Amino acid sequence: MRLMIKGGRIIDPVNSIDLVGDILVEDGLVQEISPAIRTKKAEVLDATGKIVCPGFIDMHVHLREPGFEYKEDIASGTRAAAVGGLTTVCCMPNTNPVIDNGAVAAFVCSRARQVGVVNVFPIGSITKKQQGTEISEMADLVQAGCVAVSDDGRPVMNAEIMRRALEYSRMFDIPVISHCEDLNLSEDGQMHEGFYSTLYGLKGIPAAAEEVMVARDILLAETTKSRVHFAHISTRGSVELIKMAKRKGLAVTCEVTPHHLTLTDEMVRDYDPDTKVNPPLRSREDVKALRQGLIEGVIDCIVTDHAPHEVEAKDCEYNLASCGISGLETAVAVILNDLVNSGIVDISDVVRLMSVNPANILKLDRGNLAPGKVADVTILDLELERRVEPSQFLSKGKNNPFKGRVLKGWPWATIVRGRLVAYNGELVV
């Protein structure tokens, strides 16, 4: 199979490429990049006026399978990822059973090969059944295909357990992804603790609930000389702590979500359960600090933290609603609309944040378009305007706070291993 991507602006930071030209793909691999490739027998995809970049990688997704297929499954989740411009997703272990052993991890990989349309890499749990008391068999998890470990959805409250997990992870050179939340401080909280939680009459979750755990795990990373990746950071204090850790040369990285970069706690005013997420939407000052963290390079990745739910889990009172946003199909568009088209970040920075850096952190052979590399490609149209319509999502989860908004800038085509899987908002496989 040959595919010619013609006339797009090709951005590949790894290989210092930023040019208008063509890419020739053959048998799933990049064959050639040039300002003009002579016409060869190939299917042609005219990308004139579009941005062509290494496939976007989402290293924080909840695909729910096995056990919670009524919320999402690998088939529906990977199709949502494809139309959302993502070529690779890494799925969190809070399934039923938990991905805490090689057999469950192998099931996820096998199922993804059978029904998935994008690459899927599982993330194993730090502790057995995510109970925080006994470390999972990391060797089995890594051998079965896991690229990291995390108890995401639950923090590892016991510092000694976290220390031992970090030490163990060094044997396999994988990151430990930390869900930073002190449950004693966040218990029963519904939104960010501040002016608006008082105004709306909802119990607040203080910024300190996240920051004390970020500080703890930075200290543990320094003690163990291990790699820690901080999931979905949301506060100014977390950014400052991670900045200091990086200045000390510690092996720490972090991620942020589109909703934490663009929405504030004020949005809870309508008590829309789609705005309920963990960590909660924070203050305007926190959003400003997160954006500055992107600009300064403190924050390494943008992820969706895609957390789909069935209608009943969200169609209820705010304090009873489940936390989470179904974000695979809107994440890229939100970033393009709110950050790129508004001039806050450059499109080449987005490619680093959503492709190059996740690949480096997880040591995936992705994130660049050099000849001989796997042809995972995301093509963007910065001028395309479309309304967010959750009823049309391919994800089973329709819980999205951006519903009804018209966004400018959307994924235009998604190519996985040289195969076109999504085009102009539609699945083509």
Side-chain angles (χ1 to χ4, degrees):
M1 290 181 58
R2 277 187 170 183
L3 174 66
M4 182 84 77
I5 305 169
K6 290 194 68 68
R9 179 187 170 191
I10 305 167
I11 299 177
D12 179 0
V14 172
N15 297 294
S16 301
I17 295 173
D18 189 343
L19 60 85
V20 175
D22 305 339
I23 300 178
L24 178 63
V25 174
E26 185 173 359
D27 296 330
L29 303 177
V30 176
Q31 293 296 317
E32 183 182 353
I33 296 179
S34 173
I37 299 176
R38 289 186 178 182
T39 303
K40 300 180 180 180
K41 189 176 181 181
E43 180 183 352
V44 175
L45 183 63
D46 186 356
T48 303
K50 312 297 191 296
I51 304 294
V52 182
C53 45
F56 283 0
I57 299 167
D58 188 349
M59 59 181 290
H60 193 141
V61 172
H62 298 271
L63 292 181
R64 305 299 193 194
E65 187 177 359
F68 301 107
E69 289 85 354
Y70 57 93
K71 295 177 182 285
E72 189 78 285
D73 57 37
I74 292 170
S76 61
T78 58
R79 282 156 176 76
V83 298
L86 303 163
T87 60
T88 297
V89 297
C90 302
C91 55
M92 286 297 175
N94 54 338
T95 50
N96 185 23
V98 172
I99 306 175
D100 64 359
N101 61 78
V104 182
F107 165 81
V108 171
C109 293
S110 175
R111 185 70 175 153
R113 287 191 295 268
Q114 292 170 359
V115 303
V117 297
V118 303
N119 307 300
V120 176
F121 294 97
I123 292 171
S125 65
I126 297 172
T127 63
K128 293 183 178 180
K129 298 184 179 180
Q130 292 189 295
Q131 293 180 347
T133 57
E134 185 178 0
I135 296 172
S136 298
E137 294 293 342
M138 271 186 221
D140 288 347
L141 290 169
V142 172
Q143 187 174 12
C146 291
V147 293
V149 290
S150 178
D151 272 7
D152 186 65
R154 298 182 184 181
V156 179
M157 290 290 291
N158 187 314
E160 174 66 9
I161 296 292
M162 190 64 165
R163 175 187 177 176
R164 298 308 176 197
L166 285 165
E167 290 173 336
Y168 197 21
S169 72
R170 288 183 61 193
M171 296 172 60
F172 311 102
D173 193 22
I174 58 172
V176 175
I177 301 176
S178 175
H179 173 109
C180 291
E181 178 186 5
D182 187 313
L183 296 177
N184 299 302
L185 291 172
S186 66
E187 185 176 9
D188 298 326
Q190 302 297 316
M191 64 173 294
H192 173 64
E193 181 181 279
F195 172 78
Y196 289 107
S197 64
T198 303
L199 184 65
Y200 302 155
L202 294 172
K203 180 173 172 52
I205 301 172
E210 175 176 307
E211 292 160 2
V212 296
M213 295 293 272
V214 171
R216 183 201 75 172
D217 288 349
I218 286 173
L219 290 171
L220 292 177
E222 185 173 22
T223 299
T224 62
K225 305 295 188 295
S226 303
R227 294 202 288 143
V228 176
H229 178 83
F230 293 104
H232 45 51
I233 66 166
S234 66
T235 74
R236 178 176 58 184
S238 293
V239 174
E240 292 171 351
L241 287 164
I242 293 166
K243 182 190 295 186
M244 288 189 291
K246 289 191 170 189
R247 285 175 178 170
K248 292 178 70 173
L250 302 183
V252 300
T253 53
C254 66
E255 65 189 37
V256 68
T257 70
H259 47 274
H260 287 116
L261 285 167
T262 59
L263 305 178
T264 70
D265 55 343
E266 186 179 359
M267 276 201 67
V268 181
R269 62 181 175 271
D270 295 326
Y271 302 96
D272 178 359
D274 286 350
T275 64
K276 186 176 181 180
V277 65
N278 186 24
L281 301 179
R282 299 290 187 180
S283 70
R284 193 173 300 276
E285 291 75 22
D286 290 313
V287 171
K288 182 179 178 181
L290 292 173
R291 292 183 174 190
Q292 188 63 32
L294 284 185
I295 295 168
E296 294 179 2
V298 177
I299 296 173
D300 301 275
C301 309
I302 297 174
V303 303
T304 64
D305 191 7
H306 174 70
H309 288 290
E310 74 280 16
V311 173
E312 293 79 9
K314 285 290 192 178
D315 189 14
C316 56
E317 292 109 336
Y318 201 89
N319 66 329
L320 299 178
S322 298
C323 293
I325 290 171
S326 180
L328 284 174
E329 289 161 85
T330 57
V332 173
V334 168
I335 294 301
L336 296 181
N337 183 85
D338 286 28
L339 299 184
V340 175
N341 284 329
S342 62
I344 295 172
V345 298
D346 188 76
I347 186 61
S348 60
D349 294 323
V350 173
V351 176
R352 290 187 182 91
L353 290 159
M354 300 193 75
S355 182
V356 177
N357 292 350
N360 290 339
I361 291 168
L362 298 175
K363 297 190 180 298
L364 303 177
D365 189 20
R366 299 291 194 277
N368 78 79
L369 296 174
K373 293 295 185 180
V374 176
D376 286 352
V377 184
T378 297
I379 305 179
L380 309 171
D381 186 341
L382 300 185
E383 301 300 320
L384 179 63
E385 293 188 1
R386 189 182 298 146
R387 185 182 300 275
V388 176
E389 299 287 358
S391 63
Q392 299 177 12
F393 283 1
L394 296 184
S395 169
K396 293 181 182 180
K398 315 302 179 186
N399 46 301
N400 188 293
F402 300 101
K403 53 185 178 288
R405 279 189 60 185
V406 175
L407 302 177
K408 183 179 180 181
W410 286 83
W412 182 73
T414 308
I415 298 165
V416 178
R417 298 185 296 276
R419 182 187 185 195
L420 184 68
V421 297
Y423 175 75
N424 200 22
E426 300 288 338
L427 196 71
V428 296
V429 293

